[in-house]
Amino acid sequence: MGSGIQVMVGIPNEMLAALSSSTVASDLWVRQNVSRYVVKGGVDIRYVAVGNEPFLSSYSGQYESYVMPALLNLEQSLAKVNLASYIKLVVPCNADAYESSIPSQGAFRPELTEIMTQLVSFLNSNGSPFVVNIYPFLSLYGNSDFPQEYAFFEGTTHAVTDGPNVYYNAFDGNFDTLVAALSKIGYGQMPIIIGEVGWPTDGAIGANLTAARFFNQGLINHVVSNKGTPLRPGVPPMDIYLFSLLDEGAKSILPGTFERHWGIFSFDGQAKYPLNLGMANRLLKNARNVQYLPSRWCVANPSTDFSAVTNHMKLACSVADCTTLNYGGSCNGIGAKGNISYAFNSYYQLQLQNSQSCDFDGLGMVTFLDPSVGDCRFLVGVTDVSSSSFRLVRRWAIPWGLIMWGFWVFVM
């Protein structure tokens, strides 16, 4: 409220059925989530994202029939409160909505051609952009043959030649595949927003601070240079959102254990690495006046038998985030007792260092010596002194119905 930050409000896929079948439901949703906040000194809401990647192939079409009716109902609901010309409806799509071996041959998946034509026609008539999420990291993560340097922006020995055009990075290739797909259905000039793009810093091979900084800085430099892409020279995406502002320690790890580590800031608002967002020479600034808990940690008691520790670790890691212990993670090599200590401490900090939360039937003990090893940091939590303070993620995860993707950083 009153910050001047432009906001995109998200509607989860699970709500599309109700919104598609009832204008009463869409009127209510707009009233509760949009119009009540768009007041003088209020929230600058620019977009409403209708669903989140609803055409994802893994969903097997379960949301497809709801998208257009929901859009039409919501457009009417926005018009009733005189906001339809200011707040634009969009449908964020995953890059798997289109396909091709080379960018110029890009096309939407055959089963999506009809609905994509309807969607893009609606977006075009309402002055809305096409929103797409592009993740070169996922291409690298999911394909051992994917050339690593092609995921970044510093040139590659695996450039893709496409007629007169040459692609030196996966982002441009992916973007132009979408441009070609839009052209095939008659909307080659459709404005495009990148709703999500980024690189995780932990939890998997290739997910680390160096790679994340290299990718994000390369992306920002590429965008602000205004070079555009071979199919849109001199015309970069109209907006790009870095995913994400902060790590999300309670996020589902079904796609991979890296999912909780996309933040350019750690949970306490401290920048993970230097990053220039294209604003002169200014780098990210750390959150100030963060109130940390006392410098103490919960670790495995070395004088006890750990034969019964498994259930305790399962409990700790079901509540706290232990994904850095996974293969490729920053804490993967700290040994069995180190793993136990890391799990115990993560839980202990999340419980605001409550003394009972370090008991684990006598297997845990509190220490005042920092047990961090190399790149593996044993965290100290932050307090709840003020509403502006950050809590560990389990306690401040944003409700899915309010903001769909967690956190963005606006680049352009």
Side-chain angles (χ1 to χ4, degrees):
M1 298 280 288
S3 66
I5 294 173
Q6 296 177 0
V7 174
M8 182 185 290
V9 182
I11 299 174
N13 294 329
E14 292 72 23
M15 291 180 65
L16 294 180
L19 293 170
S20 71
S21 62
S22 166
T23 53
V24 174
S26 63
D27 288 349
L28 179 62
W29 188 89
V30 165
R31 196 160 59 245
Q32 290 182 335
N33 297 282
V34 179
S35 57
R36 66 184 291 196
Y37 297 111
V38 183
V39 295
K40 186 176 181 180
V43 182
D44 188 3
I45 298 173
R46 295 299 178 94
Y47 300 102
V48 169
V50 182
N52 180 34
E53 301 181 345
F55 308 120
L56 199 64
S57 56
S58 59
Y59 292 151
S60 303
Q62 63 177 304
Y63 302 115
E64 283 179 27
S65 63
Y66 305 134
V67 174
M68 289 308 303
L71 279 170
L72 294 170
N73 284 347
L74 286 162
E75 184 71 13
Q76 288 183 35
S77 298
L78 287 172
K80 289 176 185 176
V81 291
N82 299 315
L83 290 174
S85 62
Y86 182 74
I87 297 174
K88 302 301 181 181
L89 298 174
V90 295
V91 179
C93 292
N94 187 281
D96 84 338
Y98 47 90
E99 54 195 8
S100 177
S101 56
I102 55 174
S104 64
Q105 299 301 310
F108 290 109
R109 298 199 321 262
E111 70 273 21
L112 294 180
T113 302
E114 182 178 352
I115 190 170
M116 278 298 179
T117 303
Q118 295 172 2
L119 169 61
V120 176
S121 175
F122 173 88
L123 297 175
N124 183 67
S125 64
N126 287 278
S128 297
F130 191 97
V131 177
V132 65
N133 303 334
I134 295 177
Y135 284 108
F137 170 79
L138 296 181
S139 299
L140 182 63
Y141 178 78
N143 183 0
S144 58
D145 295 326
F146 189 88
Q148 182 168 332
E149 69 268 28
Y150 188 61
F152 298 92
F153 294 88
E154 303 301 319
T156 176
T157 57
H158 295 81
V160 173
T161 300
D162 181 6
N165 298 323
V166 181
Y167 291 87
Y168 296 98
N169 64 79
F171 179 85
D172 283 358
N174 196 309
F175 185 89
D176 274 2
T177 303
L178 171 59
V179 172
L182 289 167
S183 297
K184 278 188 173 59
I185 60 173
Y187 295 92
Q189 302 306 311
M190 167 69 63
I192 297 173
I193 282 180
I194 308 300
E196 298 179 20
V197 61
W199 201 278
T201 58
D202 213 329
I205 293 291
N208 56 68
L209 294 171
T210 301
R213 179 188 180 189
F214 196 50
F215 177 84
N216 283 333
Q217 193 63 71
L219 170 73
I220 292 166
N221 295 344
H222 182 58
V223 172
V224 299
S225 72
N226 289 322
K227 289 179 182 176
T229 62
L231 292 187
R232 286 194 176 177
V235 185
M238 61 182 291
D239 293 330
I240 288 188
Y241 293 89
L242 286 183
F243 191 86
S244 59
L245 184 63
L246 296 157
D247 282 351
E248 298 178 82
K251 191 177 181 184
S252 168
I253 57 172
L254 199 59
T257 50
F258 53 82
E259 281 289 357
R260 296 178 176 177
H261 303 281
W262 292 96
I264 59 175
F265 291 91
S266 53
F267 77 95
D268 53 355
Q270 306 305 294
K272 293 183 181 179
Y273 46 82
L275 188 67
N276 184 336
L277 295 177
M279 299 178 290
N281 291 316
R282 292 188 294 168
L283 300 177
L284 299 180
K285 290 186 177 180
N286 293 333
R288 292 173 295 183
N289 304 318
V290 179
Q291 300 296 310
Y292 291 90
L293 296 168
S295 295
R296 56 185 179 225
W297 298 261
C298 179
V299 296
N301 188 335
S303 61
T304 55
D305 175 15
F306 289 99
S307 58
V309 77
T310 303
N311 287 335
H312 292 292
M313 282 195 68
K314 283 182 179 177
L315 167 66
C317 293
S318 69
V319 176
D321 176 35
C322 299
T323 52
T324 59
L325 299 175
N326 285 74
Y327 180 66
S330 60
C331 297
N332 179 238
I334 60 175
K337 274 194 178 174
N339 291 347
I340 297 168
S341 293
Y342 188 91
F344 284 5
N345 183 66
S346 297
Y347 181 82
Y348 174 67
Q349 302 297 338
L350 202 60
Q351 303 304 316
L352 302 181
Q353 298 186 358
N354 180 300
S355 57
Q356 292 181 336
S357 67
C358 186
D359 182 40
F360 297 103
D361 289 340
L363 298 178
M365 58 173 279
V366 174
T367 179
F368 296 91
L369 297 175
D370 187 350
S372 299
V373 181
D375 292 332
C376 178
R377 288 181 57 224
F378 280 62
L379 301 177
V380 171
V382 291
T383 67
D384 227 5
V385 170
S386 73
S387 59
S388 63
S389 294
F390 291 109
R391 294 282 294 274
L392 282 165
V393 182
R394 169 66 72 172
R395 296 179 180 269
W396 53 251
I398 288 185
W400 193 253
L402 297 182
I403 293 185
M404 190 164 42
W405 298 306
F407 304 92
W408 290 321
V409 172
F410 183 53
V411 173
M412 287 189 64

